[in-house]
Amino acid sequence: QVQLVESGGGLVQPGGSLRLSCAASGSGVSINAMAWYHQAPGKERELVARITKGGITSAADSVKGRFAISRDAKNTVYLQMNSLKPEDTGVYYCNAAWSKWGGPTLEYESWGQGTQVSVSS
């Protein structure tokens, strides 16, 4: 019921910056939180940063001070990535945790298709 579309990935040199975007859409739902995950080839998908409906943010230790997550009123979430490192390379996925309007407070989640980020000289 919640669709997520990521964009903004690309090739960047070490030390460079990118801004990822994730547009969320759906009906009859309330989005409680949105997050960005990173998956390097052959590795587990791991949480990068999360933002709640109230704007509370959290980030993995590996990206603190470099990445920042934000969300606008239309449920578009952003990941500003600065001081990029080669180990940041991989696919970045947008995630939404949501509940059904008028239903139980059971939380569901949806994933975007992912956007590729490559950090290389």
Side-chain angles (χ1 to χ4, degrees):
Q1 291 183 276
V2 173
Q3 297 176 328
L4 304 173
V5 180
E6 303 102 327
S7 62
L11 176 64
V12 66
Q13 294 183 349
S17 298
L18 286 173
R19 189 183 72 165
L20 307 183
S21 299
C22 174
S25 62
S27 61
V29 301
S30 176
I31 297 177
N32 302 316
M34 297 183 71
W36 286 98
Y37 285 75
H38 170 234
Q39 187 168 28
K43 302 295 183 181
E44 296 288 329
R45 190 174 300 184
E46 60 183 24
L47 178 66
V48 175
R50 179 181 294 275
I51 185 168
T52 70
K53 184 177 181 179
I56 300 174
T57 62
S58 60
D61 289 340
S62 61
V63 304
K64 286 182 178 178
R66 299 191 299 121
F67 294 4
I69 190 170
S70 61
R71 188 175 71 180
D72 66 18
K74 295 184 178 181
N75 281 335
T76 297
V77 69
Y78 305 93
L79 184 67
Q80 179 65 49
M81 303 187 294
N82 299 322
S83 302
L84 283 161
K85 303 175 180 179
E87 51 262 45
D88 296 322
T89 293
V91 179
Y92 285 77
Y93 295 91
C94 183
N95 171 273
W98 55 275
S99 302
K100 295 181 179 180
W101 263 101
T105 56
L106 181 64
E107 193 169 79
Y108 301 86
E109 67 175 5
S110 295
W111 294 91
Q113 82 286 353
T115 184
Q116 177 70 45
V117 171
S118 298
V119 184
S120 176
S121 298

